[in-house]
Amino acid sequence: MTTDEAPKTSQPFQFYSRLHLRELTGVKAKNLKELVSFLKVVPDAVIYHHTHHFLQQHQSLSPEPTNDFSHWVTFALNEVELGEKLASINAIEFPSIQELRAKIVSTIENFLEKTKRELREANEGQELYFLKSISFIFPTPYQVTSLEEFVAALEKVTTDSIYFHMFEARLYRGKGTNDFSIWCQQALGETELAKQISRLDSYTYTLEGLRGKIIALGRARLKKTA
Amino acid sequence: MPLLKEYEPFTGPQTIEELYLLAEKTRPRVIQNINSTAVGGGVAEILSRMLPLMQELGVNAKWDVIKGGEKFFKVTKKFHNALHGKSEEITQEDFTVFDEASEMNRKSMELSGDIIFIHDPQPIALVLQKNSLKAKWLWRCHIDVSNPDPKVWNFLRPFIDLYDAAVFSAQAFSPELPIRQFLITPSIDPLSDKNKELSLVTIESVLKKFNLDLEKPIVTQVSRFDYLKDPLGVIEAFEMVQRHTDCQLVLVGGTATDDPESTEVLAKTLDRASGNPDIHVLAIPSGSDIEINALQRASSVVVQKSIKEGFGLTVAEALWKGRPVVASAVGGITLQVVHKYSGLLCHSIEGTAHSIKQLLQNPEYAKKLGENGREHVRQNFLLTRHLKEYLLLFLSLFHKGEIIYL
């Protein structure tokens, strides 16, 4: 595709959305040893929930809260240094939940090895309760066949839809990258735009901020064709 | 009752569209809600607001109430207290009364739903009919069962284990059970008298009615007069604040003449507050929703210094009004207040005083917390979210796995 042609395709992009329900596991940790032992065995859906739900639950807060493990270690156990290390684990750098889980586990285990003092316990009621997300996925009315339509639809879909295509596709449904980049690359042949979207440090944006950023990238590309 | 479209300004049109989509998938099933009372109490309040919305969506949802005499309800009240961890003397006769009333309801009640949605412990034993019906059974527990009296809990457990799934309001209430458990938090209705927008004239008229100073910052706690809400602790914290900042405290709650403990706590609170003209203890009739709404809206800081809390919807009410909140880090409050993002959490009287001072002296910071809090409630604690999760819950009963394509 040349730069002076507005990108179109015969392979439409169907926008989906995702709603979720939180399922309780009945398992709770009150100190770091318990946390790390449960982290090794809980289903992927649990790791996914605790490292991602804040994106949808606190989408307007700036700066955003970190993942649940960091938040709990910092505020319930008062282990500020470890909390900071866990907060700085950037999920975008991990291609799968298994690898993200391994990083979280090794960060806590390294801390435990170095810490000689007695471990702190969470107060009653402040334990970390393990949850998982049940995802319900359904098509939205938006289906597009050109970059122009794609950008226009991005302005209208819910943040749940953006979340689904940017986060859930990559890490939870194991696609390795986000749906938007896959379509831009495979259907539109827009390699550069696909790279720009997948390079976004998506976890540091609010969902509205992320929407704005992807729209801006799409518009910049369209401007070149104008 | 408000129509769904009236919620659109708060949720956006897509949320309402999503509700219609979920309802369409739920529609072939009949949802039969069963609880123990048609009026009074939180469960009846939620059902009375939720059911018309489900019906507007075309979901075949109905609501039945079990029967029980005075003896039965005395026993279930004891169960309720014991499940909350309060010490209660429960005899074998109490269990017999419960079993007999449950048996009578099993015989007399028509159980015709595809999903039988049982609310709280009173109707819990209807599940013994499960084998004779094809329905899915859900138990919705609205109470804090994190430290239940084992005698009552062990009595109820065989019933709970027969359900297809249970629903709790906070993760801390979730015990280990052999059945699936879901977390669905309660909600507030933005269109109810307690939460709707009020004019400045209405707010000022309420302040004048209670002889409050319109110029002085107001710190408010809304709660019934109960030791677990720690009104005396609030006064102590307020007096620490008052040493450096000119402000007034409002402790407001409904009166309950049938609760001797509430009368005792109110008397102690009034006694402790006497001599301090800036402390206003307001015992007002239950149902004074406009007054509560106005007092929350007029407050510079809203406090919820509970020692134990089920969910604490007064926190969501205050956050919805954009008020900065200082609250104890207990029960469901920690789901509503994310420390330093949507309010300040505290663990002591001194911490409460320190947080109130911070907010009174830094109005910009307080405003930001209030704005974040309102947005957090808009996204997570409105009736429409509650309705959406109930529909998802119904659908989850008919699908396996963690990713469900509708």
Side-chain angles (χ1 to χ4, degrees):
Chain A
M1 190 157 293
T2 61
T3 52
D4 52 6
E5 237 176 77
K8 279 185 186 164
T9 175
S10 56
Q11 301 165 43
F13 183 83
Q14 170 67 55
F15 280 88
Y16 282 82
S17 193
R18 175 253 193 197
L19 298 174
H20 75 283
L21 189 61
R22 288 169 291 177
E23 185 167 344
L24 295 149
T25 63
V27 177
K28 61 180 176 182
K30 63 177 182 298
N31 57 40
L32 287 175
K33 275 197 174 147
E34 287 183 4
L35 174 66
V36 86
S37 68
F38 290 132
L39 279 175
K40 288 176 181 173
V41 296
V42 291
D44 283 355
V46 173
I47 306 289
Y48 178 71
H49 175 84
H50 289 290
T51 51
H52 285 75
H53 83 97
F54 69 92
L55 289 164
Q56 282 183 294
Q57 201 167 356
H58 303 288
Q59 53 189 268
S60 63
L61 303 188
S62 186
E64 290 186 2
T66 66
N67 67 69
D68 284 348
F69 304 122
S70 161
H71 192 265
W72 182 71
V73 162
T74 307
F75 291 103
L77 300 183
N78 201 23
E79 296 287 8
V80 181
E81 187 192 332
L82 178 62
E84 195 175 280
K85 282 185 177 165
L86 291 170
S88 64
I89 295 175
N90 190 353
I92 197 76
E93 289 168 13
F94 297 87
S96 68
I97 291 282
Q98 291 87 334
E99 282 159 273
L100 177 60
R101 180 204 300 261
K103 177 66 182 173
I104 296 167
V105 167
S106 67
T107 303
I108 301 170
E109 283 183 335
N110 286 342
F111 177 83
L112 286 173
E113 270 170 33
K114 286 182 200 155
T115 306
K116 304 292 172 221
R117 63 177 160 74
E118 206 172 313
L119 289 176
R120 292 168 185 152
E121 300 257 317
N123 291 332
E124 197 184 327
Q126 301 281 298
E127 301 92 340
L128 180 77
Y129 293 82
F130 289 89
L131 303 175
K132 63 180 175 179
S133 286
I134 308 296
S135 294
F136 296 79
I137 295 156
F138 55 92
T140 71
Y142 301 99
Q143 199 184 62
V144 297
T145 54
S146 70
L147 183 56
E148 202 168 2
E149 287 176 6
F150 175 71
V151 171
L154 270 177
E155 287 176 347
K156 291 179 187 156
V157 295
T158 58
T159 51
D160 289 331
S161 176
I162 292 174
Y163 173 86
F164 173 75
H165 291 296
M166 286 298 288
F167 295 95
E168 191 144 324
R170 195 185 75 82
L171 210 53
Y172 198 45
R173 289 185 291 126
K175 290 196 173 184
T177 185
N178 67 80
D179 287 335
F180 298 151
S181 289
I182 292 172
W183 183 71
C184 286
Q185 163 76 58
Q186 293 179 357
L188 295 179
E190 286 291 321
T191 309
E192 186 51 35
L193 180 60
K195 270 190 199 161
Q196 285 174 338
I197 297 174
S198 81
R199 224 172 20 232
L200 290 173
D201 196 355
S202 45
Y203 288 83
T204 57
Y205 290 91
T206 62
L207 286 171
E208 283 297 350
L210 192 56
R211 180 207 299 270
K213 188 70 193 170
I214 302 167
I215 290 172
L217 290 172
R219 280 199 186 129
R221 172 65 188 95
L222 283 170
K223 212 172 174 183
K224 287 184 191 167
T225 69
Chain B
M1 282 294 164
L3 296 171
L4 264 172
K5 67 175 182 202
E6 294 174 60
Y7 292 87
E8 209 176 289
F10 312 117
T11 64
Q14 294 102 336
T15 300
I16 306 298
E17 282 166 23
E18 283 169 358
L19 286 173
Y20 274 99
L21 182 135
L22 296 176
E24 190 192 316
K25 306 282 177 188
T26 311
R27 210 167 282 156
R29 326 268 182 199
V30 177
I31 319 295
Q32 185 175 14
N33 290 277
I34 300 174
N35 81 325
S36 64
T37 174
V39 284
V43 179
E45 191 180 321
I46 289 170
L47 286 175
S48 64
R49 301 198 80 89
M50 183 85 82
L51 251 76
L53 296 180
M54 280 193 187
Q55 285 156 354
E56 189 189 337
L57 286 167
V59 174
N60 192 345
K62 52 184 192 166
W63 175 12
D64 293 304
V65 176
I66 55 162
K67 293 192 179 78
E70 195 185 337
K71 261 179 154 180
F72 173 71
F73 288 119
K74 265 191 180 162
V75 169
T76 58
K77 174 75 185 169
K78 279 205 230 175
F79 280 14
H80 181 93
N81 288 340
L83 289 171
H84 268 293
K86 195 177 168 205
S87 173
E88 285 281 348
E89 196 187 323
I90 293 165
T91 62
Q92 188 51 46
E93 196 199 334
D94 292 332
F95 291 127
T96 308
V97 167
F98 184 88
D99 282 337
E100 284 171 0
S102 300
E103 170 90 37
M104 187 265 292
N105 276 301
R106 279 197 299 277
K107 282 181 181 159
S108 62
M109 185 163 260
E110 191 192 343
L111 298 169
S112 55
D114 298 302
I115 295 170
I116 299 187
F117 199 5
I118 303 289
H119 296 264
D120 276 343
Q122 300 92 334
I124 199 168
L126 288 173
V127 75
L128 292 179
Q129 293 288 87
K130 189 180 179 189
N131 285 343
S132 61
L133 301 162
K134 280 186 184 163
K136 299 278 186 189
W137 288 72
L138 283 170
W139 183 53
R140 196 345 169 181
C141 179
H142 294 266
I143 40 187
D144 176 354
V145 287
S146 50
N147 288 300
D149 176 333
K151 201 173 174 187
V152 174
W153 183 248
N154 292 337
F155 173 75
L156 296 176
R157 260 303 290 274
F159 302 121
I160 298 169
D161 291 358
L162 288 173
Y163 281 81
D164 292 292
V167 183
F168 295 93
S169 296
Q171 52 261 58
F173 305 166
S174 146
E176 280 196 65
L177 291 174
I179 59 170
R180 292 181 84 181
Q181 302 178 48
F182 294 96
L183 170 63
I184 298 182
T185 52
S187 58
I188 59 163
D189 186 343
L191 297 174
S192 66
D193 282 349
K194 210 188 275 180
N195 297 305
K196 68 184 184 187
E197 291 290 332
L198 294 179
S199 69
L200 201 59
V201 175
T202 308
I203 295 171
E204 286 188 356
S205 73
V206 171
L207 298 189
K208 282 177 192 157
K209 177 178 157 185
F210 293 123
N211 298 318
L212 296 171
D213 185 338
L214 270 61
E215 303 303 320
K216 221 183 251 189
I218 299 174
V219 177
T220 300
Q221 173 160 301
V222 178
S223 64
R224 61 178 194 272
F225 293 93
D226 185 321
Y227 288 115
L228 294 179
K229 309 293 179 188
D230 201 15
L232 302 181
V234 178
I235 293 178
E236 209 177 321
F238 172 75
E239 287 180 340
M240 290 178 190
V241 175
Q242 221 184 359
R243 279 185 223 144
H244 307 284
T245 312
D246 198 18
C247 52
Q248 53 193 332
L249 174 68
V250 175
L251 288 168
V252 57
T255 48
T257 47
D258 59 342
D259 182 353
E261 191 180 277
S262 135
T263 314
E264 180 186 302
V265 176
L266 174 60
K268 281 191 180 169
T269 308
L270 284 166
D271 184 50
R272 178 68 179 77
S274 66
N276 188 335
D278 284 319
I279 302 179
H280 304 264
V281 180
L282 310 176
I284 58 178
S286 61
S288 307
D289 291 348
I290 298 282
E291 283 83 353
I292 298 286
N293 186 343
L295 289 167
Q296 286 170 326
R297 285 182 189 277
S299 300
S300 297
V301 178
V302 173
V303 178
Q304 191 61 54
K305 209 206 144 305
S306 304
I307 290 163
K308 202 168 164 64
E309 192 60 75
F311 192 76
L313 276 177
T314 48
V315 171
E317 288 163 16
L319 294 175
W320 176 243
K321 290 157 188 125
R323 300 296 86 206
V325 166
V326 173
S328 302
V330 295
I333 289 176
T334 55
L335 294 174
Q336 301 173 71
V337 176
V338 180
H339 187 52
K340 295 186 183 174
Y341 292 112
S342 57
L344 298 178
L345 290 174
C346 52
H347 303 84
S348 62
I349 289 171
E350 291 79 1
T352 307
H354 180 66
S355 296
I356 296 171
K357 272 191 284 185
Q358 265 188 302
L359 295 179
L360 288 177
Q361 286 158 8
N362 299 283
E364 281 305 311
Y365 179 50
K367 187 167 174 262
K368 183 68 190 158
L369 292 184
E371 284 168 0
N372 284 348
R374 178 174 165 92
E375 189 55 22
H376 186 46
V377 171
R378 192 181 69 76
Q379 287 168 13
N380 298 293
F381 297 109
L382 294 188
L383 186 63
T384 39
R385 187 275 313 156
H386 201 170
L387 176 57
K388 177 187 77 182
E389 291 192 334
Y390 272 177
L391 296 174
L392 292 173
L393 172 70
F394 302 149
L395 291 169
S396 75
L397 294 171
F398 301 95
H399 294 88
K400 283 191 178 141
E402 283 136 8
I403 300 179
I404 296 167
Y405 290 89
L406 296 177

